[in-house]
Amino acid sequence: MSEQEFKRALGYANSAFDLLKRSSIPPYPQFYELLYTYATGVNPTLNNRINAIFRNGDSPSANLAEALYNEFLKSDVNDRMSNVSERMHARIEAVHEAIDTAMTTANAYSGSLQSASGDLERDISPEAMKTLAERLLSETRRMQDTNRALEQKLEASRDDIASLQRDLDDVRRESLLDPLTKIANRKSFDEGMEAAIAEARENGTPLCLMIVDIDHFKNFNDTYGHQTGDQVLRLVAMTLKSNIKGKDLAARYGGEEFVAILPSTDIEGAVIVAENIRRAIQAKELLKRSTNEKLGRITASFGVAAYQPGDTVSMLIERADRCLYAAKHAGRNRVVSESELEALQVQLPQIQGISAA
């Protein structure tokens, strides 16, 4: 974790504990998670609800906090995963039961054939032969019926298991998406970053990381409201995603910050991508949907860092974060890469203390 990440996380934690204390809510893990999430602003719908409570002069109680936690944070992904797992288990049990029945019937049929073989080795009367033939025919028909039932159950199970696999895929995809912007979430980014660094380390291919922060987002949010703020987040996410390609991954990093993993891209190429995204964001004029009022244009600042041999995920993030802070300090609405950072640091010796507002 970079120093900037640590400071941000600590600020969110302090805000969460302060709210717990002011509202006399027990500092149970779920309530801390609720107010920590509120402090980060990553769930705008939750923030709107809590802000409305504060505007009404109310204070979140433990009961209200529990209701909000159950509504917004108690993910149903695990419940859905458990449901799919139970259905899968039931279907597999049904297949096993059908196979056991078929094996039992097959063993009985095999025993009947062996018995009939022994009878045929001896001289038997025509009547006994007829009885034996009828018994074998009945056993054969029973075996055929059992096989048909097994085939039907296997066919049904194949369809059910294919459906369950699709459900599992849907749940997994949902667990890796940010619910507001519909691009990859932090969990997906963490997995993608680990995989990208492993590939760069193994193959010696270039890799860059871009961090994007919307300029003055808090002021914008406070001025025009959270719904418009949500619109801004979706717009930036859409612009980011539409300007990358191939194995690149765009994700919401937290709050108003976004990231893009750029495999097989050197620092010069990554800067070009970042500049294209910066200009695309700045070119979009924001309208208030309810009134069509023009709210002006938004801008974003970018930090770009390149993978170096021996880098860990946190090391690469920290360098990209420092570039982002330099872009903020240098006036915002610009891209700063590692190649520019040294020159900027001559003028800005204390980049780590800059506010990211």
Side-chain angles (χ1 to χ4, degrees):
M1 174 181 286
S2 70
E3 184 175 350
Q4 287 80 16
E5 284 186 289
F6 176 79
K7 288 180 179 178
R8 278 197 294 269
L10 185 60
Y12 296 147
N14 288 336
S15 296
F17 279 119
D18 183 55
L19 287 169
L20 286 169
K21 185 176 179 180
R22 281 164 44 197
S23 304
S24 299
I25 297 175
Y28 298 149
Q30 66 270 30
F31 298 155
Y32 169 76
E33 181 186 359
L34 175 74
L35 293 177
Y36 184 92
T37 303
Y38 170 76
T40 65
V42 297
N43 190 327
T45 307
L46 169 64
N47 281 41
N48 288 343
R49 183 74 64 80
I50 294 179
N51 288 337
I53 293 170
F54 288 142
R55 280 196 301 270
N56 292 335
D58 300 328
S59 181
S61 62
N63 290 337
L64 180 56
E66 184 170 2
L68 290 171
Y69 175 82
N70 290 335
E71 180 179 354
F72 289 98
L73 297 182
K74 190 176 182 181
S75 173
D76 67 340
V77 170
N78 289 338
D79 293 339
R80 290 172 59 191
M81 190 76 77
S82 177
N83 177 263
V84 171
S85 177
E86 289 176 4
R87 287 161 56 201
M88 184 79 79
H89 178 74
R91 176 49 62 188
I92 291 172
E93 283 294 315
V95 171
H96 284 168
E97 183 179 340
I99 292 173
D100 288 344
T101 300
M103 289 181 64
T104 300
T105 304
N107 289 335
Y109 185 61
S110 176
S112 296
L113 291 178
Q114 289 178 356
S115 175
S117 176
D119 290 341
L120 290 173
E121 290 176 356
R122 301 190 303 272
D123 291 333
I124 57 176
S125 65
E127 291 78 11
M129 178 68 76
K130 180 180 179 182
T131 300
L132 177 60
E134 289 175 348
R135 179 165 60 85
L136 289 175
L137 180 60
S138 175
E139 292 286 345
T140 300
R141 287 173 176 166
R142 188 160 72 91
M143 187 67 196
Q144 290 174 332
D145 291 341
T146 301
N147 285 340
R148 275 195 295 270
L150 176 60
E151 289 174 1
Q152 291 172 356
K153 287 185 177 181
L154 289 175
E155 183 70 21
S157 295
R158 186 184 69 178
D159 293 341
D160 284 350
I161 289 173
S163 175
L164 289 169
Q165 184 62 54
R166 288 192 295 271
D167 288 347
L168 281 173
D169 291 341
D170 288 343
V171 171
R172 172 166 172 76
R173 278 193 296 270
E174 184 178 322
S175 73
L176 296 176
L177 285 181
D178 175 62
L180 175 65
T181 61
K182 303 304 179 185
I183 64 172
N185 60 15
R186 178 66 181 269
K187 177 183 177 184
S188 183
F189 166 74
D190 289 342
E191 293 179 1
M193 196 75 255
E194 290 282 358
I197 282 187
E199 181 180 349
R201 184 180 295 129
E202 181 178 352
N203 301 331
T205 51
L207 166 68
C208 283
L209 174 66
M210 175 198 310
I211 299 185
V212 186
D213 187 275
I214 302 172
D215 296 330
H216 302 296
F217 180 75
K218 185 178 185 302
N219 293 339
F220 190 95
N221 221 14
D222 293 343
T223 302
Y224 298 110
H226 291 283
Q227 288 188 338
T228 303
D230 291 353
Q231 184 183 347
V232 171
L233 293 171
R234 284 190 287 263
L235 182 148
V236 171
M238 178 187 67
T239 306
L240 181 62
K241 187 175 181 180
S242 63
N243 280 275
I244 62 174
K245 59 184 179 179
K247 295 191 295 183
D248 299 346
L249 176 69
R252 188 177 180 194
Y253 194 59
E256 65 272 23
E257 281 193 338
F258 296 84
V259 287
I261 303 172
L262 307 174
S264 303
T265 304
D266 58 23
I267 194 72
E268 291 80 11
V271 168
I272 292 172
V273 172
E275 281 290 354
N276 289 339
I277 296 170
R278 185 192 66 79
R279 287 194 294 266
I281 292 173
Q282 186 180 18
K284 297 182 185 299
E285 188 166 33
L286 199 66
L287 296 177
K288 191 171 184 179
R289 290 179 177 176
S290 58
T291 62
N292 284 331
E293 174 189 358
K294 292 183 179 181
L295 305 180
R297 302 181 189 277
I298 56 172
T299 63
S301 300
F302 295 71
V304 179
Y307 170 78
Q308 299 174 7
D311 269 351
T312 62
V313 170
S314 61
M315 290 165 66
L316 182 54
I317 291 174
E318 182 172 5
R319 292 205 308 278
D321 219 9
R322 291 178 66 234
C323 293
L324 171 65
Y325 274 73
K328 290 284 188 182
H329 193 282
R332 298 181 172 83
N333 189 26
R334 63 171 296 172
V335 176
V336 171
S337 69
E338 288 181 288
S339 58
E340 301 172 79
L341 190 59
E342 185 175 349
L344 285 171
Q345 283 181 315
V346 172
Q347 306 170 40
L348 313 171
Q350 294 183 339
I351 286 174
Q352 292 185 354
I354 301 166
S355 170

